[in-house]
Amino acid sequence: MELKINNISKTYPNGVTALSQVSLCIPNGMYGLLGPNGAGKSTLMRILATLQDPSEGTIHLGDIDMLNDKDEVRKTLGYLPQEFGLYPKATAENLLDYFAVLKGFSQKKARREVVESLLKKVNLWDARRQKLGGFSGGMRQRFGIAVALLGNPKLLIVDEPTAGLDPTERVRFLNLLSELGENSVVLLSTHIVEDVSELCTNMAIINKGEILLETQPLAAINAL
Ligand code: ADP
Ligand code: ADP
């Protein structure tokens, strides 16, 4: 599957232009969107997550017209927002089960299986009965990925996931992401160069709402 972003612009009601004619062609695998604070990354991520409409442009995921067929794309979309909402009193197991219900897993047995396999995948199975309020930043991000992976999304959007993580947690989180990129489009936004250079096969640099460069991280580093 391929994600095709064509001439997306976004001007907020207050007149700020966050995105200006952004076009990107994103294949399966890990794709990095690198840019400083205020570049427009979160705006683009929210648009791709169907939470916000652009002022103009089109987006296609394979055959799906994402802006006109939001229900269809939501079936196959996973999103880890920059600030993952906290439910401090819920346990990891119960909250993931709850999100699985929302995602359409209606049968208890199937749900239990998917919850178990996802918590194991993100290395939180041993912590399943702990409350999220006691989780470290890294544990919270890994839990957020488990939620985002419910239903095997073809498009996974991860917004600045390593910003608050210490080095050990960061490496652990990035390793987890790197296992996911095989059969889906994984789009990672970050202001940290190493997140992209260590992980992504393709990348774009965004600044002030404009794409400055599309490249392959290894090629870019070799050119230095
Ligand atoms: P980021 O760390 O991605 O730059 P921000 O701190 O800019 O995020 O934004 C956090 C939240 O505040 C977002 O929901 C964003 O939509 C909103 N926001 C950011 N800038 C403005 C603004 N100038 N006016 C209104 N809302 C804003
Ligand atoms: P990034 O994620 O790269 O930090 P954002 O997409 O959060 O960038 O922000 C891009 C620009 O749009 C910034 O100037 C920010 O202040 C502005 N912005 C973001 N959200 C809003 C909003 N809801 N209303 C107005 N301006 C916003």
Side-chain angles (χ1 to χ4, degrees):
M1 197 105 63
E2 192 179 49
L3 178 65
K4 270 199 160 152
I5 301 170
N6 189 30
N7 267 317
I8 289 291
S9 296
K10 174 71 183 181
T11 299
Y12 284 108
N14 63 359
V16 173
T17 294
L19 296 172
S20 183
Q21 302 206 315
V22 167
S23 294
L24 293 170
C25 216
I26 303 184
N28 271 349
M30 291 282 309
Y31 193 100
L33 184 67
L34 179 67
N37 279 335
K41 302 183 298 296
S42 292
T43 299
L44 183 59
M45 301 304 247
R46 286 194 296 267
I47 289 171
L48 293 172
T50 74
L51 297 173
Q52 213 171 273
D53 281 322
S55 312
E56 55 182 76
T58 59
I59 308 174
H60 287 85
L61 178 66
D63 294 339
I64 307 172
D65 176 346
M66 285 186 51
L67 299 176
N68 289 311
D69 207 349
K70 290 187 181 146
D71 288 345
E72 198 55 34
V73 74
R74 280 173 186 162
K75 287 182 197 158
T76 190
L77 173 78
Y79 176 47
L80 178 57
Q82 198 174 357
E83 300 195 5
F84 182 70
L86 251 190
Y87 304 81
K89 298 205 167 146
T91 66
E93 188 173 40
N94 287 344
L95 189 58
L96 190 57
D97 183 73
Y98 172 74
F99 282 122
V101 173
L102 295 185
K103 199 79 193 182
F105 289 85
S106 51
Q107 292 184 340
K108 224 173 181 174
K109 184 160 172 286
R111 220 158 62 225
R112 212 177 292 140
E113 281 169 14
V114 79
V115 165
E116 177 172 345
S117 81
L118 282 174
L119 286 177
K120 285 181 173 165
K121 176 173 252 173
V122 301
N123 229 324
L124 287 175
W125 181 243
D126 291 342
R128 66 189 177 280
R129 306 238 156 84
Q130 288 179 31
K131 291 181 175 161
L132 294 172
F135 273 19
S136 69
M139 290 167 88
R140 279 209 293 275
Q141 290 300 64
R142 281 185 277 130
F143 182 76
I145 280 293
V147 173
L149 288 177
L150 281 167
N152 284 323
K154 287 269 174 283
L155 173 60
L156 180 64
I157 293 165
V158 190
D159 195 2
E160 293 262 7
T162 66
L165 304 188
D166 70 34
T168 314
E169 283 176 333
R170 184 178 153 268
V171 168
R172 202 168 184 190
F173 184 84
L174 293 179
N175 284 340
L176 170 65
L177 275 191
S178 70
E179 292 169 15
L180 305 175
E182 300 282 303
N183 299 308
S184 49
V185 176
V186 182
L187 187 57
L188 166 75
S189 97
T190 182
H191 63 271
I192 302 171
V193 175
E194 286 80 10
D195 285 357
V196 171
S197 61
E198 286 168 13
L199 210 61
C200 298
T201 39
N202 295 285
M203 67 174 289
I205 293 177
I206 184 169
N207 191 31
K208 295 184 182 159
E210 292 181 31
I211 301 297
L212 300 185
L213 173 72
E214 270 191 277
T215 184
Q216 296 174 329
L218 281 176
I221 289 164
N222 288 337
L224 290 176

